[in-house]
Amino acid sequence: MKLTVMQHADAEGLGVIQDWADKHSIETVTYRPDQGDPIAQLNPADIDGLIVLGGPMSVNDDLAWLAAERILIRSLNKLNRPVLGICLGAQQITKAFGANVYPMEKPEEGIGTVRTSDGTLLNVFHWHGEAMSRLPGSQLLYENDQALQGFKYHDRIVGLQFHLEVTPTLITAMGAAAGKPQGPVNEAILAPGHEVLNALLEQLFG
């Protein structure tokens, strides 16, 4: 297994996903389409699995590389290859299959909670100003009072609006890059989310 990664900001890397990949001897290959990496030339048949990370841009921006990512996502769906989208990545999945992504009245930023369909609460790190419409045919995984927060689509595609991959160091870096300093975050708050993420990675890419 080799994971192809789309990264869109210096401060929004794989975080603990890289730890999981290293533990399982899974290679990760990272592309920066926002910096000109020619992802339109990638052959979907050569991709074992795809992770699309967050970023400060909007999926509604008229950028050729955003459209190329969505084409890649649709192609991998046809090949039944696993895809995980985080924040911008989840919104890319949503838009790729025809649902809307729209501005929120108030951004969600910082530590907050989401709930599963059975009402279980999970502490997560939010960092988004847009929200996703429900993708027809998708399974709801997470939501809160503000927005849809996570879904599964066609068994092997998962989108999470929030960031389970972050560490306290990454949160500090993301805040600094956006000019919105974040206070210290206790690792213990993030640990349950890391466990949830590891289980999801096993399910999709293990």
Side-chain angles (χ1 to χ4, degrees):
M1 169 70 73
K2 179 170 69 174
L3 293 180
T4 298
V5 179
M6 298 296 157
Q7 182 174 344
H8 315 107
D10 292 342
E12 298 193 42
L14 284 170
V16 299
I17 296 174
Q18 188 64 61
D19 298 335
W20 177 88
D22 292 343
K23 180 180 178 181
H24 292 79
S25 299
I26 293 175
E27 181 183 359
T28 60
V29 179
T30 298
Y31 293 87
R32 289 296 301 268
D34 61 310
Q35 295 182 352
D37 284 350
I39 62 171
Q41 299 176 14
L42 294 175
N43 183 352
D46 294 335
I47 295 177
D48 298 325
L50 176 69
I51 297 177
V52 186
L53 297 173
M57 57 288 299
S58 169
V59 297
N60 297 311
D61 291 341
D62 185 17
L63 297 171
W65 63 264
L66 283 170
E69 274 192 357
R70 294 192 290 270
I71 291 171
L72 184 60
I73 290 167
R74 289 192 292 268
S75 297
L76 291 173
N77 177 57
K78 291 179 180 178
L79 293 169
N80 197 33
R81 304 287 169 82
V83 178
L84 173 62
I86 296 173
C87 201
L88 176 73
Q91 295 170 357
Q92 280 282 72
I93 294 169
T94 297
K95 190 173 177 68
F97 295 107
N100 292 327
V101 176
Y102 58 92
M104 301 180 70
E105 291 185 9
K106 182 180 179 181
E108 285 189 277
E109 297 174 347
I111 298 295
T113 58
V114 296
R115 60 180 176 269
T116 64
S117 56
D118 66 3
T120 301
L121 297 179
L122 180 67
N123 289 321
V124 301
F125 181 69
H126 294 288
W127 200 247
H128 62 102
E130 293 187 308
M132 307 174 292
S133 298
R134 182 75 179 267
L135 185 60
S138 64
Q139 174 189 349
L140 177 67
L141 296 180
Y142 297 98
E143 62 182 344
N144 63 13
D145 293 340
Q146 282 69 49
L148 167 68
Q149 296 288 343
F151 62 89
K152 178 183 283 189
Y153 187 67
H154 288 183
D155 293 328
R156 305 203 73 188
I157 297 179
V158 172
L160 301 176
Q161 180 64 85
F162 46 87
H163 295 268
L164 293 181
E165 81 284 4
V166 293
T167 63
T169 300
L170 269 182
I171 290 173
T172 298
M174 290 168 67
K180 299 177 179 179
Q182 299 298 296
V185 174
N186 190 322
E187 180 72 39
I189 294 176
L190 304 175
H194 292 166
E195 294 181 7
V196 169
L197 178 59
N198 286 340
L200 176 58
L201 293 170
E202 291 281 356
Q203 176 189 344
L204 287 176
F205 308 115

